[in-house]
Amino acid sequence: QVQLVESGGGLVQAGGSLRLSCAASGRTLSSYAMGWFRQAPGKERLFVAAINWIGSTTYYADSVKGRFTISRDNAKNTVYLQMNSLKPEDTAVYYCATKIGSNWYAVYAYNYWGQGTQVTVSS
């Protein structure tokens, strides 16, 4: 069992930056590849970024490529999402999750999820 807790969300103006953190307890995160997803009100949960267990390979949605960076610190059992040049369309609840399936981009390939952290970008 893994417990995930996201933090770092908030209200920011367009063009600003935020860094989200995902801290794990119950089991070491180095056992897992990790992903970040986001969900806007009334919309489906969408892939944002993912990273392999050692941090050597990353994946991004086209909508965030060049603006967001996923990283991890296995010694701290934490995964991060640095978000720069934020846009109003980035507004959503952001979730981190542990990956168990082969598809890096699909919700169904992830099993343990955090409770989410709200990111609101004003124009």
Side-chain angles (χ1 to χ4, degrees), residues 10-30:
L11 173 64
V12 64
Q13 288 188 331
S17 299
L18 286 172
R19 188 175 84 153
L20 305 184
S21 298
C22 171
S25 61
R27 191 169 179 178
T28 176
L29 278 187
S30 61

Side-chain angles (χ1 to χ4, degrees), residues 56-74:
S56 60
T57 304
T58 56
Y59 303 83
Y60 295 96
D62 287 343
S63 59
V64 307
K65 207 170 290 184
R67 300 188 298 122
F68 290 12
T69 303
I70 188 172
S71 62
R72 66 189 301 159
D73 185 338
N74 286 341

Side-chain angles (χ1 to χ4, degrees), residues 41-54:
K43 297 190 176 181
E44 63 181 326
R45 192 168 296 189
L46 297 175
F47 172 80
V48 174
I51 189 167
N52 69 345
W53 71 275
I54 200 173

Side-chain angles (χ1 to χ4, degrees), residues 3-7 21-25 36 78-79 96 113-117:
Q3 293 79 43
L4 301 173
V5 178
E6 301 94 339
S7 62
S21 298
C22 171
S25 61
W36 284 96
T78 303
V79 177
C96 65
W113 293 82
Q115 83 292 344
T117 186

